[in-house]
Amino acid sequence: MTGHRQRARLDREARHLAPGASEESAAGERVFAEGSGSLLTDLDGNQYLDFAAGTLTQSLGHCHPEVVEALTAQAGRLWNVHDAATPERAALLEQLARLLPAHLDTYALFSTGAEAVEAALRVVQATAPAGRNRIGALRHGFHGKTMGARMLVHWDIGNQAFAGNSVLGYAPNCYRCPLELTHPSCEVRCASLVRKHIAEKPNVAALVFEPVQGAAGVVVPPPGYWERIAEACRANGVLLVADEVLTGGGRTGAFLASELVGVEPDLVVLSKGMANGFPFAVLAGRAELLRSPEAATAGSYASTYASNPLGIAAAHTTLGVIERDGLTERARVLGELLGDRLAALHSRYEQIGDVRGLGLLYGLEFVTDRESRTPAPELARAVHSAALDLGLRTAFGGHIIRLAPPFTLDETQLDEGVALLEQAVEQAVGRAVEQVVVA
């Protein structure tokens, strides 16, 4: 429960803070004061295992000492010189070249994922052949809240929608197949339609996609989905733009989730976990695209906080620890353990309709019952709140709870987190049943 000190602080800020916080923050009503590794501490001194890793950002956990040291040292030297060269920038670029596939050898640095997505769209627009004036995207994708990113998926806000120039394809959600088919007898029909409506169209310049859809509930594609689409895009000259803001940097057990699903993208956007929660983003791509005269005119990749020395310090150190300590492989191994634990939880509660994930990224879909698969957002909210009261923080939205702990947690903490989640599910389901009986 929210303590007195936290309640007072929340009431104080509410007098001036615009509403519109995330569902998890609004439901949780916590004031977090400190973080260390996989643990958070609120203003009343209560501790929580953070299975949301900030906002799926803290790859190394909160306040990793090496990142703190790097930021502190840089803060005493230099903060901002626009996009001018600094001593550490070349080292970061060389590090990215070492970690990313060889064909992605040119980089532009930004401060947020949405900003880098917008830059990728500008590159596509600048380099597209005449007549290729449409962009493909997938239904239920999420690419940020800026205008171009919103228009990719026709995201309506309020009572007015701005027309987008994108063509939408079917995402590979086998649990809620939009075509009402069943895998594998469907023969991945959703991929065939993406090929038909996007990849094989002569007026489409690029397909912007998440290899694993994050905000939609960790939608993991079935085998063959991306391979078929990528093959058709390549044959028809449609660029592949991978939005790995959430998945990039090792979270899925590979540095890029694209590597796991059989895609060789032309452009990749990375952010969130790349600098352990410090604002930082990268647009990586083929040299012939990012260095083309049309895309690389003066100021094309400039931004107020692009190449920020603090972001570079945080990213270089974070990626160095991930590389040195083999944390991408650790995410894969821990992810397999987490998947096993969640599968057992899924078998015990019919209100958990589906569990899916890769590496240390999982989604649990809550339903009223497995036969109807009716989404149960109230139950998911109750599970999230109960878990917080027990000492576990999760990422919650709609009827989905996502789990994305830091790569540095140990197996004991993993088991403890799943045990707390099970207690939360038991409490929330029990209360739901009681309310039905009373009604």
Side-chain angles (χ1 to χ4, degrees):
M1 301 294 290
T2 305
H4 173 73
R5 293 181 65 195
Q6 295 182 84
R7 183 71 270 161
R9 189 63 58 93
L10 290 168
D11 291 343
R12 177 181 167 188
E13 69 172 23
R15 291 195 289 269
H16 302 286
L17 184 67
S22 64
E23 284 188 84
E24 64 189 61
S25 293
E29 295 190 311
R30 296 300 197 277
V31 180
F32 293 112
E34 297 178 14
S36 178
S38 299
L39 295 176
L40 282 169
T41 305
D42 68 23
L43 197 60
D44 291 311
N46 303 303
Q47 285 199 326
Y48 307 81
L49 271 174
D50 189 4
F51 269 41
T55 177
L56 287 72
T57 48
Q58 260 69 2
S59 304
L60 306 181
H62 295 278
C63 299
H64 189 280
E66 292 180 58
V67 180
V68 170
E69 182 182 0
L71 280 170
T72 302
Q74 185 60 55
R77 290 196 299 268
L78 184 67
W79 284 28
N80 192 314
V81 283
H82 197 203
D83 57 351
T86 54
E88 295 80 12
R89 188 166 69 175
L92 172 63
L93 297 174
E94 291 166 350
Q95 184 181 46
L96 289 170
R98 197 166 58 245
L99 292 168
L100 287 163
H103 71 281
L104 300 173
D105 61 358
T106 306
Y107 317 109
L109 307 182
F110 298 97
S111 54
T112 70
E115 186 183 20
V117 167
E118 297 284 349
L121 294 176
R122 293 196 298 271
V123 171
V124 171
Q125 183 183 41
T127 60
R132 288 192 181 268
N133 55 8
R134 306 296 294 275
I135 295 179
L138 297 182
R139 289 174 173 84
H140 309 298
F142 181 81
H143 303 288
K145 297 178 182 177
T146 50
M147 186 64 74
R150 282 171 47 190
M151 289 170 67
L152 272 175
V153 291
H154 306 182
W155 182 20
D156 296 349
I157 297 290
N159 57 14
Q160 183 171 348
F162 291 92
N165 196 35
S166 63
V167 183
L168 296 183
Y170 289 111
N173 190 339
C174 294
Y175 185 68
R176 296 189 180 279
C177 177
L179 305 174
E180 298 184 346
L181 301 174
T182 302
H183 185 266
S185 61
C186 64
E187 298 182 341
V188 200
R189 176 66 174 161
C190 52
S192 298
L193 291 174
V194 174
R195 288 180 59 150
K196 178 180 179 181
H197 296 144
I198 296 175
E200 296 172 354
K201 290 290 187 181
N203 63 343
V204 173
L207 171 59
V208 181
F209 66 96
E210 298 166 271
V212 175
Q213 288 192 324
V218 191
V219 177
V220 180
Y225 178 84
W226 278 119
E227 292 89 343
R228 296 183 190 187
I229 294 171
E231 178 185 22
C233 285
R234 191 70 63 216
N236 193 41
V238 174
L239 296 178
L240 290 160
V241 182
D243 181 342
E244 300 231 19
V245 166
L246 189 153
T247 53
R251 177 152 294 281
T252 60
F255 195 75
L256 295 180
S258 302
E259 301 175 63
L260 298 177
V261 300
V263 180
E264 185 180 287
D266 301 288
L267 296 170
V268 175
V269 178
L270 307 102
S271 186
K272 286 192 180 290
M274 296 288 284
N276 208 45
F278 196 90
F280 181 79
V282 178
L283 171 60
R286 297 182 186 273
E288 60 264 30
L289 293 172
L290 292 181
R291 294 181 186 274
S292 69
E294 296 81 8
T297 56
S300 295
Y301 304 124
S303 176
T304 299
Y305 302 107
S307 292
N308 181 283
L310 290 167
I312 288 172
H316 183 52
T317 304
T318 298
L319 295 176
V321 173
I322 289 173
E323 188 177 17
R324 181 196 69 203
D325 295 349
L327 294 184
T328 297
E329 173 63 14
R330 179 173 177 79
R332 184 190 67 78
V333 172
L334 286 176
E336 290 178 355
L337 295 175
L338 179 58
D340 290 342
R341 308 298 194 269
L342 294 177
L345 190 62
H346 174 240
S347 68
R348 289 195 285 273
Y349 295 94
E350 77 158 17
Q351 292 84 359
I352 302 177
D354 196 26
V355 171
R356 49 192 180 249
L358 279 175
L360 285 177
L361 176 62
Y362 270 83
L364 289 78
E365 186 161 345
F366 286 86
V367 296
T368 56
D369 60 84
R370 288 190 184 168
E371 183 176 355
S372 70
R373 300 188 181 185
T374 302
E378 298 83 4
L379 179 59
R381 177 182 288 264
V383 171
H384 170 75
S385 297
L388 266 180
D389 290 342
L390 291 165
L392 175 70
R393 179 172 179 263
T394 63
F396 151 67
H399 67 292
I400 304 289
I401 283 181
R402 292 183 296 172
L403 304 177
F407 307 170
T408 51
L409 91 165
D410 57 40
E411 190 173 338
T412 299
Q413 291 175 318
L414 186 148
D415 286 338
E416 180 184 352
V418 174
L420 292 173
L421 179 63
E422 181 168 11
Q423 290 182 50
V425 173
E426 180 67 31
Q427 290 182 16
V429 168
R431 290 170 188 158
V433 171
E434 289 175 3
Q435 290 171 359
V436 170
V437 171
V438 171

